[in-house]
Amino acid sequence: MFTIPLFVLFGAMAVGCALAMVAQRNPLYSAISLIGVFVSLACLYMTLQAPFIAAVQVIVYAGAIMVLVVFVIMLLNVEEEVRRPVRLRFLVPVGVLLAAILIGEAAFILKLPGAASRIDAFGQRPSDVGLTASIGTALFTEYLLPFEVTSVLILMALVGAITLARRTATPRLAAPGNVDTEPPELGPRGEVFIRPGDTAETGRAFARHQLQRGEAAASAKRTGEEGER
Amino acid sequence: MILLWQDSALGRMSEGIQHPDLSKFLVIGALLFSIGVAGVLVRRNIIVIFMSIELILNAANLNFIAFSRYLQETGNVNAVAGQVFTVFIIVVAAAEAAIGLGLVIALYRNRGTVFVDKIDLLKW
């Protein structure tokens, strides 16, 4: 019954938080603004009689995904973006013109004569489409194959994420900052363990170390062969 | 009490006037989509670009839910399709978040930066 005030409130909140997300220079503030967008979208879903999607939106998006994003932001601890001078300044009027055309187009379609009669306002007639039971029934009957394919997708994403974020056995490339020239020790089967703080300098030291060892082994072999002879 | 209010004359009068229609939700979706595209193009921090992509997906979700509601109003039996599709989009977004953030961590470990203008190894 109060859906117009609710729509205005949460729609404005979603758009405002989205603008704040793009405008913020600190990524953590952007993440918090994005959480605001997700929560206000969940409220809009409630007014659209989709309680299950609203709950999933809050739990999965605002909960799981944003925790992951905030975790990575905290882990990497990157500095804020610095604003840079605008290049291609002559394109700014073109952009303004194109945006005006887009807005005018949208307004024309919305205010088209007869648009209001074709699209009726949503009533408050209760329906069971948005309920968990009907969505579950659809998922396990009509959309069973996409559901199963999705489980394969999640498995692939799991394996891929672990593979990507795992520590690799190759010396990493240039990372500015700490220099550790101590060569890394070898594992029992000759594998290289990367320690925290290893840099390109470590890799070079390791390469020199390997080269010296190879030369030493070669000369030892040579002297051994000469001794046999 | 809410039911009483809905049955009252005032409630009946407000019916049809106080409810937004489909186009208003589509406007919100279009705005969120445009802001997300602007974020992808303007920002240089790859994590913020990633969050802008999430925003774009959410704009699509809002459109799906609004159209599903519209189909409910028109009595279409297939109205649940929009909500099921939204569930799939959320699942794909979660998988994308795991992969994307794994990529960001691998990138930061190898290059020491998350700013996309510094990651120009393939630039000729």
Side-chain angles (χ1 to χ4, degrees):
Chain A
M1 48 190 156
F2 299 117
T3 42
I4 277 283
L6 284 178
F7 171 78
V8 171
L9 175 66
F10 292 118
M13 207 170 117
V15 174
C17 285
L19 282 174
M21 188 206 92
V22 174
Q24 289 288 349
R25 265 182 262 169
N26 190 330
L28 201 56
Y29 294 165
S30 291
I32 290 167
S33 304
L34 190 60
I35 292 173
V37 176
F38 290 156
V39 170
S40 43
L41 277 182
C43 297
L44 281 182
Y45 295 162
M46 285 304 284
T47 67
L48 285 169
Q49 297 194 5
F52 176 74
I53 302 295
V56 167
Q57 171 91 2
V58 171
I59 293 169
V60 176
Y61 262 121
I65 293 180
M66 289 319 289
V67 164
L68 201 60
V69 169
V70 170
F71 176 76
V72 169
I73 291 172
M74 295 284 202
L75 183 72
L76 300 187
N77 195 19
V78 291
E79 69 270 30
E80 294 185 7
E81 280 180 41
V82 282
R83 192 178 291 270
R84 293 194 310 176
V86 182
R87 292 174 299 170
L88 306 173
R89 191 174 287 277
F90 65 97
L91 282 180
V92 170
V94 180
V96 170
L97 182 71
L98 287 175
I101 289 175
L102 183 67
I103 291 172
E105 212 174 11
F108 175 72
I109 290 172
L110 288 181
K111 294 296 170 193
L112 204 64
S117 60
R118 277 205 303 274
I119 301 173
D120 298 329
F122 294 149
Q124 283 300 91
R125 197 149 40 89
S127 76
D128 56 352
V129 169
L131 297 182
T132 312
S134 51
I135 292 177
T137 308
L139 264 184
F140 288 112
T141 54
E142 199 179 349
Y143 301 97
L144 186 62
L145 181 65
F147 181 80
E148 298 292 343
V149 172
T150 304
S151 59
V152 177
L153 173 84
I154 290 181
L155 181 67
M156 284 162 59
L158 186 72
V159 174
I162 291 173
T163 311
L164 281 173
R166 197 186 48 180
R167 287 188 162 194
T168 52
T170 49
R172 64 178 175 182
L173 295 175
N178 44 13
V179 174
D180 185 2
T181 52
E182 196 68 23
E185 66 269 30
L186 294 182
R189 277 169 298 157
E191 66 265 43
V192 183
F193 290 110
I194 305 298
R195 299 152 301 180
D198 276 356
T199 57
E201 197 56 43
T202 320
R204 276 183 224 114
F206 176 66
R208 280 198 297 274
H209 185 68
Q210 290 289 88
L211 206 63
Q212 282 167 7
R213 274 195 0 169
E215 281 173 359
S219 63
K221 197 179 171 193
R222 217 177 301 130
T223 50
E225 283 171 357
E226 281 171 4
E228 278 176 17
R229 210 180 294 150
Chain B
M1 191 180 155
I2 292 168
L3 288 174
L4 274 177
W5 194 88
Q6 267 183 340
D7 285 343
S8 69
L10 189 66
R12 273 199 303 277
M13 197 178 71
S14 65
E15 192 87 8
I17 302 169
Q18 286 215 334
H19 304 308
D21 56 9
L22 174 67
S23 59
K24 296 188 174 58
F25 288 97
L26 296 189
V27 167
I28 295 286
L31 282 175
L32 290 182
F33 182 86
S34 311
I35 294 169
V37 171
V40 170
L41 293 177
V42 167
R43 298 302 300 266
R44 289 184 289 137
N45 190 332
I46 199 167
I47 302 173
V48 181
I49 291 176
F50 176 78
M51 289 195 281
S52 300
I53 294 172
E54 298 286 339
L55 188 64
I56 293 172
L57 288 174
N58 265 278
N61 277 351
L62 181 62
N63 278 13
F64 270 117
I65 298 290
F67 274 114
S68 165
R69 184 82 184 87
Y70 176 67
L71 290 184
Q72 287 174 38
E73 284 296 310
T74 55
N76 194 314
V77 289
N78 213 14
V80 76
Q83 311 219 351
V84 172
F85 213 103
T86 305
V87 171
F88 284 131
I89 290 179
I90 290 175
V91 170
V92 170
E96 180 226 335
I99 291 289
L101 292 173
L103 279 175
V104 169
I105 288 181
L107 197 65
Y108 189 79
R109 190 183 288 147
N110 282 320
R111 307 278 306 179
T113 183
V114 293
F115 294 119
V116 289
D117 54 347
K118 298 264 173 39
I119 306 165
D120 52 1
L121 198 65
L122 287 180
K123 206 168 168 184
W124 188 250

